């Protein structure tokens, strides 16, 4: 080929071929953009679906007329008056029981108000509507209620309320809350991280800083990577076999003189979740340790540091933000897991706050799962509210991870 | 005082070969390095200069599957002997790397840490000042000792790394292209500093810069792949720097130092 020959298009034909290239580029750009759009739309649909369920009209009747208990409108009663109504109308046995659970005087006004509704007036929910229906078909709904349930009151309400967050479980959707479930989830996650963080970090350090690249260690590494992808239900089976059954004396607390539980405790659930997130914590920890540059290790070794001094004073402090961020993200996976908890044996109905690692427990996803399987639509509404609580918890954890990552910026 | 007839040797290599797995990177090096002199190691890229240098303080131990044959003797002891702890070797043979690598800590702490982990019992403030003076950095940083070392310029960082090394009072300092990441002025300062340091330390420096080798070193080791087709490097000529640059014995050395090769 003669170097002076020109085999490239010039002038008009160059411009034409360039336009062709631009056309292909813009087609691909449109394809990538639609991919993004689909992803965003599905996210929006998910959020909309949850929010749609948690707000809306509800038609309900009072079984007992409020005027039987008080002359005033219910909403105008103060705390003292509510207390008196409960005292005079509840059977003394029922009142003492409530008082023993938590002193009545110490309960807030909204809690007492709820008790009056739940125990005395007794609300009977007839029907609930989604937020969209409530907004778009308000008049139709009003007409329907007037015709079908002439006695009923119609109210636009948010099922997600402060009371919802602070009341325990109840068999009536109107009075059920997620307090027990939130506490259960937090206990569980706490135990999981206390268990998995030190072990996971230790394993990551070993694999990254000590293990030589031999056959055995490669197998271990591969298996850890695979374990991170094992379906969570398998971890549930493991937890059932090991923590609930084999280690029952420990997990039930009978070793420590606690007698009223079996192995299906918060401790078992927390340890199961700990094992579930362990591979993720190890892998994230390894990545964080890998990100510490070798030049730093060499600097330390070069002035006579031992391996341990190098790890403890340089590798670990510099990897710590990464390790913490990775662990929080791993744990935020655990908080939404349902399957292992069902297998390990979360209680579906429990109204007492967990008192410690040896308590029976429930957790947010269990509550959601349980409520969505009920036939009455009001349970679907509180399930949606519980999902919102779960999502907020997740976002808080993820935000914490991002904040840690940004606060401690890379120094090297 | 040493006399010219009986030079004292800081370190000696005997039939030293260095392997990465089955690959022999450096073969059969025999050198006697004089105390309180600067020895430069020069040679084309990939001939094993860094490998040889790292063998002196057992930094190659961190490369999986690497090993050496032959001996490196210091005060009559083989540094690779079974009774020798590599940590002890690194404590008495310090190293300064090509890229400045201070710790992400304060200037003060960069020097104090090495002293502390090696069980230093004296006055730390004094040691820090003395080391920084020794590396000609004191005047520039004496008021900002608590500042992060990462806020220093590259040249200052490299001098801090030298200060960190001399703070643990090694007997030999290894330098692997210590000025290659620096501008000419910083380079000059490091070179001046080496002349100062040589009063107390034996220095071995790897450099690609012929002028630098000629300017600063007393002895020069010329390394090269030992023969056609082989990938092992070896020292083909080792003598006084003046000689290497004016009257080399080996044709390849002459070609290399005059820039006709490599
Ligand atoms: N960690 C290692 N593992 C395996 N082989 C290595 C390793 N480090 C260096 N080598 C090989 O050893 C030989 C010598 O490398 P070395 O880094 O000592 O050369 P050098 O003379 O310092 O080169 P340069 O002037 O480019 O720094 C090269 O062939 C290189 O590929
Ligand atoms: Mg090199």
């Amino acid at each position: 080929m003669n170097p002076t020959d020109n085999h490239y298009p010039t002038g008009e034909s160059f411009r034409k071929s360039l336009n062709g290239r631009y056309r292909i580029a813009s087609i691909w750009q449109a394809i990538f953009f639609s991919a993004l759009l689909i992803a965003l739309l599905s996210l929006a649909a998910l959020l909309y679906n949850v929010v749609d369920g948690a707000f809306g009209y509800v038609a309900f009747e009072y079984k007992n007329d409020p005027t039987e208990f008080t002359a005033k409108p219910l909403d105008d009663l103060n705390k003292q008056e509510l207390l008196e109504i409960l005292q005079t109308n509840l059977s003394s046995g029922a009142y003492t029981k409530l008082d023993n659970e938590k002193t009545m005087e110490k309960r807030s006004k909204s809690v007492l108000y709820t008790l009056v509704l739940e125990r005395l007036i007794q609300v009977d929910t007839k029907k609930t509507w989604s937020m969209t229906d409530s907004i778009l078909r308000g008049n139709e709904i009003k007409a329907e209620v007037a015709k079908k349930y002439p006695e009923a009151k119609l109210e636009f309400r948010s099922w997600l309320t402060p009371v919802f967050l602070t009341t325990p479980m109840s068999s009536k959707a109107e009075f059920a809350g997620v307090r027990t479930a939130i506490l259960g989830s937090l206990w569980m996650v706490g135990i999981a991280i206390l268990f998995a963080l030190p072990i996971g970090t230790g394993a990551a350090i070993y694999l990254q800083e000590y293990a030589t690249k031999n056959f055995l260690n490669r197998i271990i590494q591969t298996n850890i990577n695979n374990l991170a992808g094992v379906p969570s239900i398998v971890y549930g089976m493991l937890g059932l076999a090991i923590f609930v059954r084999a280690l029952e004396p420990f997990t039930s607390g009978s070793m420590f003189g606690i007698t009223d539980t079996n192995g299906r405790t918060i401790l078992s659930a927390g340890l199961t979740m700990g094992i579930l997130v362990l591979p993720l914590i190890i892998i994230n920890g390894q990545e964080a340790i890998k990100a510490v540059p070798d030049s730093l290790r060499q600097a330390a070794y070069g002035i006579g540091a031992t391996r341990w001094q190098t790890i403890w004073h340089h590798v670990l402090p510099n990897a710590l933000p990464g390790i913490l961020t990775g662990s929080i993200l791993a744990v935020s996976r655990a908080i939404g897991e349902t399957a292992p908890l069902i297998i390990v044996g979360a209680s579906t109905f429990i109204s007492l706050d967990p008192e410690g690692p040896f308590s029976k427990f429930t957790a947010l996803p269990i509550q959601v799962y349980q409520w969505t399987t009920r036939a009455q639509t009001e349970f679907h509404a509180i399930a949606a509210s519980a999902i919102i609580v779960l999502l907020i918890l997740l976002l808080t954890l993820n935000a914490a991870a991002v904040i840690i990552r940004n606060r401690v910026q890379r120094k090297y | 005082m040493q006399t010219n007839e009986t030079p004292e040797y800081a370190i000696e290599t005997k039939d030293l070969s260095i392997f990465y797995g089955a690959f022999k990177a450096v073969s059969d090096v025999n050198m006697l390095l004089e105390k309180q002199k600067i020895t430069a190691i020069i040679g084309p890229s990939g001939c094993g200069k860094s490998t040889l240098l790292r063998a002196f303080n057992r930094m190659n131990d961190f490369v999986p599957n690497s090993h050496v044959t032959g001996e490196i003797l210091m005060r009559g002891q083989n540094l690779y002997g079974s009774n020798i702890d590599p940590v002890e070797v690194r404590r008495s043979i310090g190293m300064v790397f090509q890229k400045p690598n201070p710790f992400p800590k304060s200037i003060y702490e960069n020097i104090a840490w090495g002293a502390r982990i090696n069980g230093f019992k004296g006055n730390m403030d004094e040691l820090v000042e003395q080391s920084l003076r020794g590396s000609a950095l004191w005047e520039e940083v004496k008021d900002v000792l608590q500042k992060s070392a990462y806020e220093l310029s590259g040249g200052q960082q490299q001098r801090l790394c030298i200060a960190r090394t001399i703070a643990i009072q090694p007997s030999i300092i290894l330098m692997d292209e210590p000025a290659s990441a620096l501008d000419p002025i910083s380079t000059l300062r490091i070179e001046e500093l080496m002349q100062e340091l040589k009063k107390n330390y034996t220095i071995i420096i790897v450099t690609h810069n012929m002028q630098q080798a000629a300017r600063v070193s007393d002895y020069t080791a010329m390394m090269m792949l030992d023969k056609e087709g082989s990938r092992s490097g070896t020292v083909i000529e080792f003598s006084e720097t003046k000689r290497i640059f004016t009257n080399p014995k080996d044709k390849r050395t002459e070609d290399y130092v005059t820039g006709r090769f490599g």
Side-chain angles (χ1 to χ4, degrees), chain A residues 300-365:
Chain A
Y301 289 130
I303 50 175
T306 60
R307 192 189 286 264
W308 168 244
Q309 286 169 326
T310 305
I311 292 173
W312 185 248
H313 291 280
H314 297 291
V315 178
L316 212 49
N318 287 298
L320 204 59
I323 292 175
L324 286 181
T325 313
S327 304
I328 293 176
L329 292 179
V331 154
S332 78
R333 176 187 167 194
I335 212 167
E337 282 293 350
T338 323
L341 294 183
I342 294 176
I343 299 205
V344 168
S347 315
T348 45
F349 191 94
I350 183 168
S351 58
L352 289 178
D353 287 356
E355 281 167 347
F358 305 117
S359 299
K360 286 189 288 187
F361 72 102
T362 185
L364 275 170

Side-chain angles (χ1 to χ4, degrees), chain A residues 48 52-53 55-57 127-142 144 156:
Chain A
Y48 167 76
D52 197 35
F55 304 91
Y57 274 125
K127 192 168 175 184
T128 63
W129 288 267
S130 71
M131 186 176 72
T132 319
D133 280 350
S134 307
I135 293 169
L136 299 181
R137 303 176 33 240
N139 289 332
E140 282 172 56
I141 291 172
K142 278 177 194 142
E144 181 187 343
F156 189 94

Side-chain angles (χ1 to χ4, degrees), chain A residues 200-201 204 208 280-290 319 322-323 326:
Chain A
T201 308
Q208 225 39 55
L280 286 174
I281 291 186
I282 295 176
I283 293 169
N284 290 335
Q286 282 184 280
E287 288 306 320
I289 291 168
K290 250 188 241 170
I323 292 175

Side-chain angles (χ1 to χ4, degrees), chain B residues 20-21 23-26 43-52 54 60 63-64 98 176-177 206 208 223 225 231:
Chain B
Y20 292 119
F23 167 54
K24 193 183 202 177
V26 170
S45 187
C47 67
K49 305 181 295 295
S50 301
T51 301
L52 176 61
R54 285 198 304 260
N60 276 333
V63 179
Q98 175 171 5
D176 194 348
E177 304 182 46
V206 168
H208 272 292
M223 287 189 78
L225 296 186
R231 286 179 56 226

